[in-house]
Amino acid sequence: QVQLVESGGGSVQAGGALRLSCEASVYIHSYCRGWFRQAPGKEREGVATIGTDGTTSYADSVKGRFTISKDAATNTLYLQMNSLKPEDTGMYYCAASDGVIGTSCYQLWSGTFAFWGQGTQVTVSS
């Protein structure tokens, strides 16, 4: 069983930056990993994913502002968020899954992922 723990959320003003981290309980470098977010009253949406070879995918709304990365040595996934906007507010979840075939890792679809963290809150004020 893979356990994921997010950290790094907080409250910032528009234009600010945050870096989220997600630590895994076991070695999952070969897994597809990603970040999702959910705002109050809205469905969970994909933010960014990263495949086993480091290929990344981003939602159009965060391209050029967010960067997903991972550190194999520490088994940690990161999301660097710059130029934050109020519409980025929400609960951010990290996710992971093995056995992901082809381009499924890059579809930003929550159904791809088997393991989820509890989430970390990000609030951006105007």
Side-chain angles (χ1 to χ4, degrees):
Q1 183 74 6
V2 177
Q3 293 183 330
L4 304 173
V5 179
E6 303 96 335
S7 62
S11 297
V12 296
Q13 291 190 329
L18 286 172
R19 188 175 83 153
L20 306 184
S21 300
C22 174
E23 295 187 39
S25 60
V26 296
Y27 183 74
I28 58 171
H29 182 64
S30 61
Y31 283 37
C32 170
R33 303 183 71 173
W35 289 97
F36 290 74
R37 67 186 180 189
Q38 188 166 18
K42 294 187 177 181
E43 294 187 354
R44 189 171 298 188
E45 63 173 352
V47 175
T49 61
I50 186 166
T52 57
D53 63 353
T55 300
T56 58
S57 177
Y58 295 92
D60 288 343
S61 59
V62 307
K63 282 181 181 177
R65 300 187 297 122
F66 290 12
T67 303
I68 187 171
S69 62
K70 61 182 180 177
D71 185 335
T74 61
N75 225 17
T76 303
L77 181 73
Y78 299 100
L79 184 69
Q80 178 66 44
M81 306 186 294
N82 298 328
S83 301
L84 282 161
K85 303 176 181 180
E87 51 263 44
D88 294 318
T89 294
M91 187 69 77
Y92 282 68
Y93 301 89
C94 72
S97 194
D98 62 346
V100 178
I101 299 173
T103 61
S104 297
C105 183
Y106 313 113
Q107 303 303 316
L108 298 173
W109 181 52
S110 60
T112 298
F113 295 89
F115 305 106
W116 292 84
Q118 293 300 307
T120 185
Q121 177 69 36
V122 171
T123 302
V124 184
S125 58
S126 58

